[in-house]
Coordinates of all heavy atoms in Angstrom, one line a residue:
M6 N 3.0 -17.7 75.4 CA 1.7 -18.3 75.2 C 1.8 -19.7 74.8 O 1.2 -20.6 75.3 CB 0.8 -17.5 74.3 CG -0.6 -18.0 74.1 SD -1.6 -18.0 75.7 CE -3.1 -18.7 75.2
D7 N 2.6 -20.0 73.7 CA 2.7 -21.3 73.2 C 3.4 -22.3 74.1 O 3.4 -23.5 73.9 CB 3.4 -21.3 71.8 CG 4.7 -20.7 71.8 OD1 5.0 -19.9 72.7 OD2 5.5 -21.0 70.8
K8 N 4.0 -21.7 75.2 CA 4.7 -22.6 76.2 C 3.8 -22.9 77.3 O 4.2 -23.6 78.2 CB 6.0 -21.9 76.7 CG 7.1 -22.0 75.7 CD 8.5 -21.8 76.4 CE 9.6 -22.2 75.4 NZ 10.8 -21.6 75.8
Q9 N 2.6 -22.4 77.3 CA 1.7 -22.6 78.5 C 1.3 -24.1 78.5 O 1.0 -24.7 77.5 CB 0.5 -21.7 78.3 CG -0.4 -21.6 79.5 CD -1.7 -20.8 79.3 OE1 -2.2 -20.7 78.1 NE2 -2.2 -20.3 80.3
N10 N 1.3 -24.6 79.7 CA 0.9 -26.0 79.8 C -0.6 -26.2 79.7 O -1.4 -25.2 79.9 CB 1.4 -26.6 81.1 CG 0.8 -26.0 82.3 OD1 -0.4 -26.1 82.5 ND2 1.6 -25.3 83.1
L11 N -1.1 -27.4 79.4 CA -2.5 -27.6 79.2 C -3.3 -27.4 80.4 O -4.5 -27.0 80.4 CB -2.8 -29.1 78.7 CG -2.2 -29.4 77.3 CD1 -2.4 -30.8 76.9 CD2 -2.8 -28.5 76.2
F12 N -2.7 -27.7 81.6 CA -3.4 -27.5 82.9 C -3.8 -26.0 83.0 O -5.0 -25.8 83.3 CB -2.4 -27.9 84.0 CG -2.9 -27.6 85.4 CD1 -3.8 -28.5 86.0 CD2 -2.5 -26.5 86.1 CE1 -4.3 -28.2 87.3 CE2 -3.0 -26.2 87.4 CZ -3.9 -27.1 87.9
D13 N -2.9 -25.1 82.8 CA -3.2 -23.7 83.0 C -4.1 -23.2 81.8 O -5.1 -22.5 82.0 CB -2.0 -22.8 83.0 CG -1.2 -23.0 84.3 OD1 -1.9 -23.1 85.4 OD2 0.0 -23.0 84.3
K14 N -3.8 -23.7 80.6 CA -4.5 -23.2 79.4 C -6.0 -23.5 79.6 O -6.9 -22.7 79.2 CB -4.0 -24.0 78.2 CG -4.7 -23.6 76.9 CD -4.0 -24.3 75.7 CE -4.7 -23.9 74.4 NZ -4.3 -24.7 73.3
Y15 N -6.4 -24.7 80.2 CA -7.8 -25.0 80.3 C -8.5 -24.7 81.6 O -9.5 -25.2 81.9 CB -8.0 -26.5 79.8 CG -7.8 -26.6 78.3 CD1 -6.7 -27.2 77.8 CD2 -8.8 -26.1 77.5 CE1 -6.4 -27.3 76.5 CE2 -8.6 -26.2 76.1 CZ -7.4 -26.8 75.6 OH -7.2 -26.9 74.3
G16 N -7.8 -23.9 82.4 CA -8.4 -23.4 83.6 C -8.1 -24.2 84.9 O -8.8 -23.9 85.9
G17 N -7.2 -25.1 84.9 CA -6.7 -25.7 86.1 C -7.7 -26.6 86.8 O -8.6 -27.1 86.2
V18 N -7.6 -26.6 88.1 CA -8.4 -27.6 88.9 C -9.9 -27.4 88.8 O -10.6 -28.4 88.6 CB -8.0 -27.5 90.4 CG1 -9.0 -28.2 91.3 CG2 -6.6 -28.1 90.6
P19 N -10.5 -26.2 88.8 CA -11.9 -26.1 88.6 C -12.5 -26.8 87.4 O -13.5 -27.5 87.4 CB -12.2 -24.6 88.6 CG -11.1 -24.0 89.3 CD -9.9 -24.9 89.0
T20 N -11.8 -26.6 86.3 CA -12.2 -27.3 85.0 C -12.1 -28.8 85.1 O -13.1 -29.6 84.8 CB -11.3 -26.9 83.8 OG1 -11.3 -25.4 83.8 CG2 -11.8 -27.4 82.5
I21 N -11.0 -29.3 85.6 CA -10.7 -30.7 85.7 C -11.8 -31.3 86.7 O -12.3 -32.4 86.4 CB -9.3 -31.0 86.2 CG1 -8.3 -30.5 85.1 CG2 -9.1 -32.5 86.5 CD1 -6.9 -30.5 85.6
K22 N -12.0 -30.7 87.8 CA -13.0 -31.2 88.8 C -14.4 -31.3 88.1 O -15.1 -32.4 88.3 CB -13.0 -30.2 90.0 CG -13.9 -30.7 91.1 CD -13.6 -29.9 92.4 CE -14.4 -30.4 93.5 NZ -15.8 -29.8 93.6
A23 N -14.8 -30.3 87.4 CA -16.1 -30.3 86.8 C -16.3 -31.5 85.8 O -17.3 -32.2 85.8 CB -16.4 -29.0 86.1
I24 N -15.2 -31.6 85.0 CA -15.2 -32.7 84.0 C -15.2 -34.1 84.7 O -16.0 -35.0 84.3 CB -14.0 -32.6 83.0 CG1 -14.2 -31.3 82.2 CG2 -13.9 -33.8 82.1 CD1 -13.0 -30.9 81.3
L25 N -14.4 -34.2 85.7 CA -14.4 -35.5 86.4 C -15.7 -35.9 87.1 O -16.1 -37.0 87.1 CB -13.2 -35.5 87.4 CG -11.8 -35.7 86.8 CD1 -10.8 -35.5 87.9 CD2 -11.7 -37.1 86.2
E26 N -16.3 -34.9 87.7 CA -17.6 -35.1 88.3 C -18.6 -35.6 87.3 O -19.4 -36.6 87.5 CB -18.1 -33.9 89.1 CG -17.4 -33.7 90.4 CD -17.6 -32.4 91.1 OE1 -18.2 -31.5 90.5 OE2 -17.2 -32.3 92.2
K27 N -18.6 -35.0 86.1 CA -19.5 -35.5 85.1 C -19.1 -36.8 84.6 O -20.0 -37.7 84.4 CB -19.5 -34.4 83.9 CG -20.2 -34.8 82.7 CD -21.6 -34.5 82.7 CE -22.3 -34.6 81.3 NZ -22.8 -36.0 81.0
F28 N -17.8 -37.0 84.4 CA -17.3 -38.3 84.0 C -17.8 -39.5 84.9 O -18.3 -40.5 84.4 CB -15.8 -38.3 83.9 CG -15.1 -39.6 83.6 CD1 -15.2 -40.2 82.3 CD2 -14.5 -40.3 84.6 CE1 -14.6 -41.4 82.1 CE2 -13.9 -41.6 84.4 CZ -14.0 -42.1 83.1
Y29 N -17.6 -39.3 86.2 CA -17.9 -40.4 87.1 C -19.4 -40.6 87.2 O -19.9 -41.7 87.4 CB -17.3 -40.2 88.5 CG -15.8 -40.7 88.5 CD1 -14.8 -39.8 88.6 CD2 -15.5 -42.0 88.3 CE1 -13.5 -40.2 88.6 CE2 -14.2 -42.4 88.3 CZ -13.2 -41.5 88.4 OH -11.9 -42.0 88.3
K30 N -20.2 -39.5 87.1 CA -21.7 -39.6 87.1 C -22.1 -40.5 85.9 O -22.9 -41.4 86.0 CB -22.3 -38.2 87.0 CG -23.7 -38.1 87.2 CD -24.2 -36.7 87.5 CE -25.7 -36.7 87.4 NZ -26.2 -36.2 86.1
D31 N -21.5 -40.2 84.7 CA -21.9 -41.0 83.5 C -21.4 -42.4 83.7 O -22.1 -43.4 83.4 CB -21.2 -40.4 82.3 CG -21.9 -39.1 81.9 OD1 -22.9 -38.7 82.5 OD2 -21.3 -38.4 81.0
L32 N -20.1 -42.6 84.2 CA -19.5 -43.9 84.4 C -20.4 -44.8 85.3 O -20.7 -45.9 85.0 CB -18.1 -43.8 84.9 CG -17.3 -45.0 84.9 CD1 -16.9 -45.4 83.4 CD2 -16.1 -44.9 85.7
L33 N -20.8 -44.2 86.4 CA -21.6 -45.0 87.4 C -23.0 -45.2 87.0 O -23.7 -46.0 87.6 CB -21.5 -44.3 88.8 CG -20.1 -44.3 89.4 CD1 -20.2 -43.7 90.8 CD2 -19.5 -45.7 89.5
S34 N -23.4 -44.7 85.9 CA -24.8 -45.0 85.4 C -24.7 -46.2 84.5 O -25.8 -46.7 84.1 CB -25.3 -43.8 84.6 OG -24.7 -43.7 83.3
L35 N -23.6 -46.8 84.2 CA -23.4 -48.0 83.5 C -23.5 -49.2 84.4 O -22.9 -49.2 85.5 CB -22.1 -48.0 82.7 CG -21.8 -46.8 81.8 CD1 -20.4 -46.9 81.2 CD2 -22.8 -46.7 80.7
R36 N -24.2 -50.2 84.0 CA -24.4 -51.4 84.9 C -23.1 -52.1 85.2 O -22.8 -52.4 86.4 CB -25.3 -52.4 84.2 CG -26.8 -52.2 84.7 CD -27.6 -53.3 84.2 NE -27.2 -54.6 84.7 CZ -27.8 -55.7 84.4 NH1 -28.8 -55.7 83.6 NH2 -27.3 -56.8 84.8
W37 N -22.2 -52.3 84.3 CA -21.0 -53.1 84.5 C -20.0 -52.4 85.4 O -19.1 -53.0 86.0 CB -20.4 -53.5 83.2 CG -19.7 -52.4 82.4 CD1 -20.3 -51.6 81.4 CD2 -18.3 -52.0 82.5 NE1 -19.4 -50.7 80.9 CE2 -18.2 -50.9 81.6 CE3 -17.2 -52.3 83.3 CZ2 -17.0 -50.2 81.4 CZ3 -16.0 -51.7 83.1 CH2 -15.9 -50.6 82.2
T38 N -20.1 -51.1 85.5 CA -19.1 -50.4 86.3 C -19.5 -50.3 87.8 O -18.6 -50.2 88.7 CB -18.8 -48.9 85.8 OG1 -20.1 -48.3 85.8 CG2 -18.2 -48.9 84.5
R39 N -20.8 -50.3 88.0 CA -21.3 -49.9 89.4 C -20.7 -50.8 90.5 O -20.3 -50.3 91.5 CB -22.8 -50.1 89.4 CG -23.4 -48.7 89.9 CD -24.9 -48.8 89.8 NE -25.4 -48.4 88.5 CZ -26.6 -48.8 88.0 NH1 -27.4 -49.6 88.7 NH2 -27.0 -48.4 86.8
K40 N -20.6 -52.1 90.2 CA -20.1 -53.0 91.2 C -18.7 -52.8 91.6 O -18.2 -53.1 92.7 CB -20.3 -54.5 90.8 CG -19.6 -54.9 89.6 CD -19.8 -56.4 89.4 CE -18.9 -57.0 88.3 NZ -19.1 -56.4 87.0
M41 N -17.9 -52.2 90.7 CA -16.5 -51.9 91.0 C -16.3 -50.7 91.9 O -15.2 -50.6 92.5 CB -15.7 -51.7 89.7 CG -15.7 -52.9 88.9 SD -14.8 -52.7 87.4 CE -13.9 -54.2 87.4
F42 N -17.3 -49.9 92.1 CA -17.1 -48.7 92.8 C -18.0 -48.7 94.1 O -18.0 -47.7 94.8 CB -17.5 -47.5 92.0 CG -16.5 -47.2 90.9 CD1 -16.6 -47.8 89.6 CD2 -15.4 -46.4 91.1 CE1 -15.7 -47.6 88.6 CE2 -14.5 -46.2 90.1 CZ -14.7 -46.8 88.8
V43 N -18.6 -49.8 94.5 CA -19.5 -49.8 95.6 C -18.8 -49.4 96.9 O -19.4 -48.7 97.7 CB -20.2 -51.2 95.9 CG1 -21.6 -51.2 95.3 CG2 -19.4 -52.4 95.6
N44 N -17.6 -49.9 97.2 CA -16.9 -49.6 98.4 C -15.9 -48.5 98.3 O -15.0 -48.3 99.1 CB -16.2 -50.9 99.0 CG -17.2 -51.9 99.4 OD1 -18.2 -51.6 100.0 ND2 -17.0 -53.2 99.0
V45 N -16.0 -47.7 97.2 CA -15.1 -46.6 97.0 C -15.6 -45.3 97.4 O -16.7 -44.9 97.2 CB -14.7 -46.6 95.5 CG1 -13.8 -45.4 95.2 CG2 -14.0 -47.9 95.1
N46 N -14.8 -44.6 98.2 CA -15.1 -43.2 98.6 C -14.9 -42.3 97.4 O -13.8 -42.0 97.0 CB -14.2 -42.8 99.7 CG -14.4 -41.4 100.2 OD1 -14.9 -40.5 99.5 ND2 -14.1 -41.1 101.5
M47 N -16.0 -41.9 96.7 CA -15.9 -41.2 95.5 C -15.4 -39.8 95.6 O -14.7 -39.3 94.7 CB -17.3 -41.1 94.8 CG -17.8 -42.5 94.3 SD -16.7 -43.4 93.3 CE -16.6 -42.4 91.8
D48 N -15.6 -39.2 96.7 CA -15.0 -37.8 96.9 C -13.5 -37.9 96.9 O -12.8 -37.1 96.3 CB -15.5 -37.2 98.2 CG -16.9 -36.8 98.2 OD1 -17.4 -36.6 97.1 OD2 -17.5 -36.7 99.3
K49 N -13.0 -39.0 97.6 CA -11.6 -39.2 97.7 C -11.0 -39.6 96.3 O -10.0 -39.1 95.9 CB -11.3 -40.3 98.7 CG -10.0 -40.1 99.5 CD -10.0 -41.1 100.7 CE -8.7 -41.9 100.7 NZ -8.8 -42.9 101.7
L50 N -11.7 -40.4 95.7 CA -11.3 -40.9 94.3 C -11.2 -39.7 93.4 O -10.2 -39.5 92.7 CB -12.2 -41.9 93.8 CG -11.9 -42.4 92.3 CD1 -10.5 -42.9 92.2 CD2 -12.9 -43.4 91.9
I51 N -12.2 -38.8 93.4 CA -12.1 -37.6 92.5 C -11.0 -36.7 92.9 O -10.3 -36.2 92.0 CB -13.5 -36.9 92.5 CG1 -14.5 -37.7 91.7 CG2 -13.4 -35.5 91.9 CD1 -15.9 -37.2 91.7
L52 N -10.7 -36.6 94.2 CA -9.5 -35.8 94.6 C -8.2 -36.4 94.0 O -7.4 -35.7 93.4 CB -9.4 -35.7 96.1 CG -10.3 -34.7 96.8 CD1 -10.1 -34.7 98.3 CD2 -10.1 -33.3 96.2
H53 N -8.1 -37.7 94.1 CA -6.9 -38.4 93.6 C -6.8 -38.3 92.1 O -5.8 -38.1 91.5 CB -6.9 -39.9 94.0 CG -6.7 -40.1 95.4 ND1 -6.8 -41.3 96.0 CD2 -6.4 -39.2 96.4 CE1 -6.6 -41.2 97.3 NE2 -6.3 -39.9 97.6
Q54 N -8.0 -38.4 91.5 CA -8.0 -38.3 90.0 C -7.7 -36.9 89.5 O -7.0 -36.7 88.5 CB -9.4 -38.7 89.5 CG -9.6 -39.0 88.1 CD -8.8 -40.2 87.6 OE1 -7.7 -40.0 87.1 NE2 -9.4 -41.4 87.7
I55 N -8.1 -35.8 90.3 CA -7.7 -34.5 90.0 C -6.2 -34.3 90.0 O -5.6 -33.7 89.1 CB -8.4 -33.4 90.9 CG1 -9.8 -33.3 90.7 CG2 -7.7 -32.1 90.8 CD1 -10.6 -32.6 91.8
Q56 N -5.6 -35.0 91.0 CA -4.1 -34.9 91.1 C -3.5 -35.6 89.8 O -2.5 -35.1 89.2 CB -3.6 -35.6 92.3 CG -3.9 -34.9 93.6 CD -3.6 -35.8 94.8 OE1 -3.0 -36.9 94.7 NE2 -3.9 -35.3 96.0
F57 N -4.0 -36.7 89.5 CA -3.5 -37.5 88.3 C -3.6 -36.7 87.0 O -2.7 -36.5 86.3 CB -4.1 -38.8 88.2 CG -3.8 -39.5 86.9 CD1 -2.5 -40.1 86.7 CD2 -4.7 -39.6 85.8 CE1 -2.2 -40.7 85.5 CE2 -4.4 -40.2 84.6 CZ -3.1 -40.7 84.4
V58 N -4.9 -36.2 86.8 CA -5.1 -35.4 85.5 C -4.3 -34.1 85.4 O -3.8 -33.8 84.4 CB -6.6 -35.2 85.3 CG1 -6.9 -34.4 84.0 CG2 -7.4 -36.5 85.2
S59 N -4.2 -33.5 86.6 CA -3.4 -32.2 86.7 C -2.0 -32.5 86.2 O -1.4 -31.8 85.4 CB -3.4 -31.6 88.1 OG -4.7 -31.3 88.5
F60 N -1.4 -33.6 86.8 CA -0.1 -34.0 86.5 C 0.0 -34.3 85.0 O 0.9 -33.8 84.3 CB 0.3 -35.2 87.3 CG 1.5 -35.9 86.8 CD1 2.8 -35.4 87.0 CD2 1.4 -37.2 86.2 CE1 3.9 -36.0 86.5 CE2 2.5 -37.9 85.8 CZ 3.8 -37.3 85.9
A61 N -0.9 -35.1 84.5 CA -0.9 -35.5 83.0 C -1.0 -34.3 82.1 O -0.5 -34.3 81.0 CB -2.0 -36.5 82.8
M62 N -1.7 -33.2 82.6 CA -1.8 -32.0 81.7 C -0.7 -31.0 82.0 O -0.8 -29.9 81.5 CB -3.2 -31.4 82.0 CG -4.4 -32.2 81.5 SD -6.0 -31.4 81.9 CE -6.0 -30.1 80.7
G63 N 0.3 -31.4 82.7 CA 1.5 -30.6 82.8 C 1.5 -29.5 83.9 O 2.2 -28.5 83.8
K64 N 0.7 -29.8 85.0 CA 0.7 -28.8 86.1 C 2.2 -28.7 86.6 O 2.8 -29.8 87.0 CB -0.2 -29.3 87.2 CG -0.3 -28.3 88.4 CD -1.2 -28.9 89.5 CE -1.2 -27.9 90.6 NZ -1.7 -28.5 91.9
P65 N 2.7 -27.5 86.8 CA 4.1 -27.4 87.3 C 4.2 -28.0 88.7 O 3.3 -27.9 89.5 CB 4.3 -25.9 87.3 CG 3.3 -25.3 86.3 CD 2.1 -26.2 86.4
E66 N 5.4 -28.5 88.9 CA 5.7 -29.1 90.3 C 4.7 -30.1 90.8 O 4.4 -30.1 92.0 CB 5.9 -27.9 91.3 CG 7.1 -27.1 91.0 CD 7.2 -25.9 91.8 OE1 6.8 -25.9 93.0 OE2 7.7 -24.9 91.3
S67 N 4.1 -30.9 89.9 CA 3.2 -31.9 90.3 C 3.8 -33.3 89.9 O 4.6 -33.3 89.0 CB 1.9 -31.8 89.8 OG 1.9 -32.0 88.4
E68 N 3.5 -34.3 90.6 CA 3.9 -35.7 90.2 C 2.9 -36.7 90.5 O 2.0 -36.5 91.4 CB 5.3 -36.0 90.8 CG 5.3 -35.9 92.3 CD 6.7 -36.2 92.9 OE1 7.7 -35.7 92.4 OE2 6.7 -37.1 93.7
F69 N 2.9 -37.8 89.8 CA 2.0 -38.9 90.1 C 2.7 -40.2 89.6 O 3.0 -40.4 88.4 CB 0.7 -38.7 89.3 CG -0.5 -39.5 90.0 CD1 -1.4 -38.9 90.8 CD2 -0.6 -40.9 89.8 CE1 -2.4 -39.6 91.3 CE2 -1.6 -41.6 90.4 CZ -2.5 -40.9 91.2
D70 N 3.1 -41.0 90.6 CA 3.9 -42.2 90.3 C 3.0 -43.3 89.6 O 1.9 -43.5 90.1 CB 4.4 -42.7 91.7 CG 5.6 -43.6 91.6 OD1 5.7 -44.2 90.5 OD2 6.3 -43.7 92.6
D71 N 3.6 -43.9 88.6 CA 3.0 -45.1 88.0 C 2.5 -46.2 89.0 O 1.5 -46.8 88.9 CB 4.0 -45.8 87.1 CG 4.1 -45.1 85.8 OD1 3.5 -44.0 85.6 OD2 4.9 -45.5 84.9
K72 N 3.4 -46.3 90.0 CA 3.2 -47.3 91.1 C 1.8 -47.0 91.8 O 1.1 -48.0 92.1 CB 4.3 -47.2 92.1 CG 4.5 -48.4 93.0 CD 5.8 -48.3 93.8 CE 5.6 -48.9 95.1 NZ 6.0 -48.1 96.2
R73 N 1.5 -45.8 92.0 CA 0.2 -45.4 92.6 C -0.9 -45.9 91.8 O -1.9 -46.4 92.3 CB 0.2 -43.9 92.9 CG -0.9 -43.5 93.7 CD -0.7 -42.1 94.2 NE -2.0 -41.5 94.6 CZ -2.2 -40.3 94.8 NH1 -1.2 -39.4 94.6 NH2 -3.4 -39.8 95.1
L74 N -0.8 -45.7 90.5 CA -1.9 -46.1 89.6 C -2.0 -47.7 89.6 O -3.1 -48.2 89.6 CB -1.6 -45.7 88.1 CG -2.1 -44.4 87.6 CD1 -1.9 -44.3 86.1 CD2 -3.6 -44.2 88.0
R75 N -0.9 -48.4 89.5 CA -0.9 -49.8 89.6 C -1.5 -50.3 90.9 O -2.4 -51.2 90.9 CB 0.5 -50.4 89.5 CG 0.9 -51.0 88.1 CD 2.1 -51.9 88.1 NE 3.2 -51.3 88.9 CZ 4.1 -50.4 88.5 NH1 4.0 -49.9 87.3 NH2 5.1 -50.0 89.2
E76 N -1.0 -49.8 92.0 CA -1.5 -50.3 93.3 C -3.0 -49.9 93.5 O -3.7 -50.6 94.1 CB -0.6 -49.7 94.4 CG 0.7 -50.4 94.4 CD 1.7 -49.8 95.4 OE1 1.4 -48.8 96.1 OE2 2.8 -50.3 95.5
G77 N -3.4 -48.7 93.0 CA -4.8 -48.3 93.1 C -5.8 -49.2 92.5 O -6.9 -49.3 92.9
H78 N -5.3 -49.9 91.4 CA -6.2 -50.8 90.6 C -6.0 -52.3 90.9 O -6.7 -53.1 90.4 CB -6.1 -50.6 89.1 CG -6.5 -49.2 88.8 ND1 -5.6 -48.1 88.7 CD2 -7.7 -48.7 88.5 CE1 -6.3 -47.0 88.4 NE2 -7.5 -47.3 88.2
A79 N -4.9 -52.6 91.7 CA -4.6 -54.0 92.0 C -5.8 -54.7 92.6 O -6.4 -54.2 93.5 CB -3.4 -54.1 92.8
G80 N -6.0 -56.0 92.2 CA -7.1 -56.8 92.8 C -8.5 -56.4 92.5 O -9.4 -57.0 93.0
L81 N -8.7 -55.5 91.6 CA -10.1 -55.1 91.2 C -10.6 -55.9 90.1 O -11.7 -55.8 89.7 CB -10.1 -53.6 90.8 CG -9.9 -52.6 91.9 CD1 -9.9 -51.1 91.3 CD2 -10.9 -52.7 93.0
G82 N -9.7 -56.8 89.5 CA -10.2 -57.7 88.4 C -10.5 -56.9 87.1 O -11.4 -57.3 86.4
I83 N -9.8 -55.8 86.9 CA -10.2 -55.0 85.7 C -9.5 -55.6 84.5 O -8.3 -56.0 84.5 CB -9.7 -53.6 85.9 CG1 -10.3 -52.9 87.1 CG2 -10.0 -52.7 84.6 CD1 -9.7 -51.6 87.4
T84 N -10.3 -55.9 83.4 CA -9.7 -56.5 82.2 C -9.1 -55.5 81.3 O -9.4 -54.3 81.4 CB -10.8 -57.2 81.4 OG1 -11.7 -56.2 80.9 CG2 -11.6 -58.2 82.3
E85 N -8.3 -56.0 80.3 CA -7.7 -55.1 79.3 C -8.8 -54.3 78.6 O -8.7 -53.2 78.3 CB -6.9 -55.9 78.3 CG -5.5 -56.3 78.8 CD -4.6 -55.1 79.0 OE1 -4.6 -54.2 78.2 OE2 -3.9 -55.1 80.1
A86 N -9.8 -55.1 78.2 CA -10.9 -54.5 77.4 C -11.6 -53.3 78.2 O -11.9 -52.3 77.6 CB -12.0 -55.5 77.1
Q87 N -11.8 -53.5 79.5 CA -12.4 -52.5 80.3 C -11.5 -51.2 80.3 O -12.0 -50.1 80.2 CB -12.7 -53.0 81.7 CG -13.8 -54.0 81.8 CD -14.0 -54.6 83.1 OE1 -13.0 -54.7 83.9 NE2 -15.1 -55.2 83.3
F88 N -10.2 -51.4 80.5 CA -9.3 -50.3 80.4 C -9.4 -49.6 79.1 O -9.5 -48.4 79.0 CB -7.8 -50.7 80.6 CG -7.3 -50.5 82.0 CD1 -7.1 -51.6 82.9 CD2 -7.2 -49.2 82.6 CE1 -6.7 -51.4 84.2 CE2 -6.8 -49.0 83.9 CZ -6.5 -50.1 84.7
Ligands
HEM15 C1 -6.9 -44.9 81.7 C2 -7.4 -45.7 82.6 C3 -7.5 -45.3 84.1 C4 -6.9 -44.3 84.8 C5 -5.9 -43.2 84.2 C6 -7.3 -44.4 86.1 C7 -6.9 -43.5 87.2 C8 -7.2 -43.7 88.5 C9 -6.7 -42.9 89.6 C10 -5.7 -41.7 89.5 C11 -7.1 -43.5 90.8 C12 -6.8 -43.0 92.2 C13 -5.6 -43.8 92.7 C14 -5.3 -43.3 94.1 O1 -6.1 -43.5 95.0 O2 -4.2 -42.8 94.3 C15 -8.0 -44.6 90.4 C16 -8.7 -45.4 91.3 C17 -9.6 -46.3 90.9 N1 -9.9 -46.7 89.7 FE1 -9.1 -46.1 88.0 N2 -8.2 -45.4 86.3 C18 -8.3 -46.0 85.0 C19 -9.1 -47.1 84.7 C20 -10.0 -47.7 85.5 C21 -11.0 -48.7 85.2 C22 -11.1 -49.3 83.8 C23 -11.6 -49.0 86.3 C24 -12.8 -50.1 86.5 C25 -13.7 -50.2 85.6 C26 -11.1 -48.3 87.4 C27 -11.5 -48.3 88.7 C28 -11.0 -47.6 89.7 C29 -11.4 -47.8 91.1 C30 -12.5 -48.7 91.6 C31 -10.5 -47.0 91.9 C32 -10.6 -46.7 93.4 C33 -9.7 -47.7 94.1 C34 -9.8 -47.4 95.6 O3 -9.9 -46.3 96.0 O4 -9.9 -48.4 96.4 N3 -10.1 -47.4 86.9 N4 -8.0 -44.7 89.0

């Protein structure tokens, strides 16, 4: 039990998906974020984000390269403070 990863412990993809949907709903209700997501396919973004969070929570046999995170945000003009 104590060796269980956080991904399985908290219910895997369904839990992460529900939290991310709420997260982006709240995020996009803020004025300063909206313009950054106008041309973004949110369904696709949430799928990618599920992969990232699953990996970060220790899902077995998953991976998410730092390069993908860097390239995904390149050219968006995101400041340190926003991060
Ligand atoms: C801890 C900080 C953050 C993490 C872990 C994170 C994670 C991610 C992930 C996993 C993706 C999907 C990458 C892919 O398509 O493979 C993504 C895309 C994106 N993120 Fe972030 N993000 C962070 C901060 C931010 C901030 C501060 C903003 C802007 C306010 C932002 C805006 C975006 C946008 C607009 C995309 C979509 C890019 C596209 O599909 O063209 N992110 N992020």
Side-chain angles (χ1 to χ4, degrees):
M6 182 63 182
D7 55 341
K8 282 203 170 155
Q9 193 183 27
N10 64 64
L11 294 175
F12 174 81
D13 289 322
K14 182 175 175 188
Y15 289 105
V18 168
T20 308
I21 295 171
K22 183 167 184 272
I24 291 171
L25 284 173
E26 281 169 350
K27 169 86 169 88
F28 171 75
Y29 280 111
K30 190 165 169 261
D31 291 353
L32 191 73
L33 293 182
S34 72
L35 306 175
R36 268 187 57 180
W37 71 269
T38 56
R39 235 176 274 155
K40 65 176 186 301
M41 293 180 137
F42 291 88
V43 266
N44 293 317
V45 173
N46 178 333
M47 291 309 291
D48 289 338
K49 212 165 129 189
L50 175 57
I51 288 177
L52 282 179
H53 291 173
Q54 195 64 266
I55 289 169
Q56 290 171 6
F57 170 74
V58 175
S59 299
F60 165 72
M62 290 177 76
K64 182 184 180 197
E66 290 169 35
S67 66
E68 54 180 53
F69 202 102
D70 199 339
D71 282 0
K72 198 169 148 230
R73 190 165 157 195
L74 270 190
R75 253 196 319 278
E76 289 174 355
H78 297 93
L81 293 177
I83 302 172
T84 65
E85 280 297 316
Q87 287 170 341
F88 261 112

